Amino acid sequence: MKNASQPLLEEYQLGDLTLKNRVVMASLTRGRATNPDLLPTMLMSEYYAQRASTGLILSEGTWVNMQSIGFINVPGIYTQEQVEGWKIVTNAVHESGGLIFSQLGHIGAGAHPDLQNGELPVGPSAINIQSKSFTPEGFKDTVTPREMTVTEIHRTIQDYRQAAQNAKDAGFDGIEIHAIAGMLIPQFLSKATNHRTDEYGASIENRTRIVFEILDAVTEVWDSHRVAIKFSPVMLSNVGIVKPDEETIVLFKYILNKLENYNLAFVHIVGPSEDLSGTDVEELQKDYFTHFRNNYRGRILANLGFSKESANVILKKGDADLVSFGELFIANPDLVERFKYNLPLSESDPNTYYSGEDNGYITYPKSGYAES
Ligand SMILES: Cc1cc2nc3c(=O)[nH]c(=O)nc-3n(C[C@H](O)[C@H](O)[C@H](O)COP(=O)(O)O)c2cc1C
């Protein structure tokens, strides 16, 4: 049904999936897989089910293989046991009337030997991304990774394919490829961290190759309209040297142009979190999403810092088709109802973002304004 004042609350047809509204829960790593096998837990199924009134949930980033692990207590989706755990989560969400995509990620050079049984992490080149890795002993500086061989790149792409299959077996409704700054894919896209001279380096065509090879692999398993990808073209903080440069705008133009052939569920784009003045992407500061809208005819899921008001504005303007919310979902499991009935929003406690078991995870109450 149309909702002239709040398009955010309109039902939305995403391929063959009917979303109850245009509110998407963005992926939130919460570090609650506190077991050695990185299995999803019952706590997680409760947490996600609490948030099922949103049009679509994107799961926290999950690992596609052992080498991709770069943060403690984050669940994987590369073993059969993990698949069994995720089944409980997807069932709980579906029983509560929601839809959930699995976010598939690989942290590449952002990992740490402490998380890799003492082995060096891997990256496109042996270049330290100069960021931080969340190890069992807290945040540590990243190290210089080992350059991936072409065979390893191909194997990693197959790991994405297997993870996509695992997500399907686990009952997810689709997948999102995690390609925001800090992860392996942007390390390939960036000239600062990719000094390769083979078919995965140097030119824009070569540096972006891995994106399309991963999408080609996962769309062997899923119809393309159940596959999405998330990028953060202008992220400046906490990303070490993987920062936008003078080729970023043309590189993303190239990617989006090619993605038009993929008929994806959506491209999820993270907006600027800081002033872009004086950077190579300064021209994106104004009308950021209009720029991407003009360069991509498929569906756009807009993210970063949206409120109910600004989300309705961008949907009305047509610069995005859906809007995702991250932090607001931490303390507001019933965010959609709060938007609908104009209820106050609760504040989240950053101390429990990545630890605390049930505290600050499933303990935030709903507003009590239950939907009939
Ligand atoms: C605690 C926390 C964990 C996050 N984990 C992920 C993640 O696993 N994958 C991802 O793509 N983004 C992750 N993000 C980024 C969010 O998905 C989102 O892009 C960001 O919070 C901006 O949206 P917001 O302003 O609505 O919060 C995380 C953000 C927070 C605050």
Side-chain angles (χ1 to χ4, degrees), residues 222-251:
W222 286 94
D223 283 339
S224 59
H225 61 269
R226 298 291 191 103
V227 174
I229 187 160
K230 183 178 184 187
F231 293 112
S232 62
V234 298
M235 202 174 266
L236 297 172
S237 293
N238 304 323
V239 293
I241 58 172
V242 190
K243 291 213 168 110
D245 59 37
E246 74 287 357
E247 283 187 7
T248 297
I249 293 177
V250 18
L251 180 138

Side-chain angles (χ1 to χ4, degrees), residues 26-30 60-61 103 176 178 180 230 270 303-306 324-328 330 353-354:
S27 296
L28 294 169
T29 289
R30 303 300 311 275
E60 61 211 281
Q103 193 189 49
E176 180 181 79
H178 188 355
I180 74 171
K230 183 178 184 187
V270 182
N303 173 252
L304 205 130
F306 279 94
S324 75
F325 301 83
E327 262 183 297
L328 286 184
I330 294 178
Y353 277 14
Y354 303 112

Side-chain angles (χ1 to χ4, degrees), residues 87-242:
K87 278 184 189 168
I88 297 169
V89 174
T90 60
N91 271 335
V93 171
H94 292 151
E95 274 170 20
S96 304
L99 293 168
I100 181 165
F101 277 24
S102 168
Q103 193 189 49
L104 307 182
H106 189 310
I107 209 158
H112 192 277
D114 292 2
L115 295 159
Q116 296 286 330
N117 298 323
E119 302 278 319
L120 281 181
V122 294
S125 299
I127 295 169
N128 190 331
I129 63 167
Q130 292 172 34
S131 185
K132 298 275 178 201
S133 188
F134 195 7
T135 77
E137 289 163 20
F139 281 103
K140 286 195 178 174
D141 290 339
T142 50
V143 300
T144 301
R146 184 171 60 71
E147 176 171 316
M148 291 171 94
T149 64
V150 170
T151 309
E152 263 177 322
I153 295 173
H154 292 167
R155 203 167 54 225
T156 301
I157 291 165
Q158 284 314 306
D159 290 341
Y160 272 92
R161 185 189 184 284
Q162 184 59 50
Q165 179 64 56
N166 291 348
K168 201 169 199 183
D169 296 345
F172 281 100
D173 300 293
I175 55 167
E176 180 181 79
I177 303 298
H178 188 355
I180 74 171
M183 305 300 286
L184 179 70
I185 292 174
Q187 291 160 20
F188 270 88
L189 302 183
S190 166
K191 279 194 301 184
T193 46
N194 182 348
H195 290 190
R196 301 180 75 94
T197 52
D198 59 12
E199 66 267 40
Y200 291 99
S203 66
I204 286 182
E205 187 186 353
N206 284 350
R207 280 185 279 138
T208 56
R209 186 179 306 282
I210 192 164
V211 171
F212 302 103
E213 291 189 347
I214 289 172
L215 289 174
D216 290 339
V218 300
T219 50
E220 285 172 16
V221 175
W222 286 94
D223 283 339
S224 59
H225 61 269
R226 298 291 191 103
V227 174
I229 187 160
K230 183 178 184 187
F231 293 112
S232 62
V234 298
M235 202 174 266
L236 297 172
S237 293
N238 304 323
V239 293
I241 58 172
V242 190

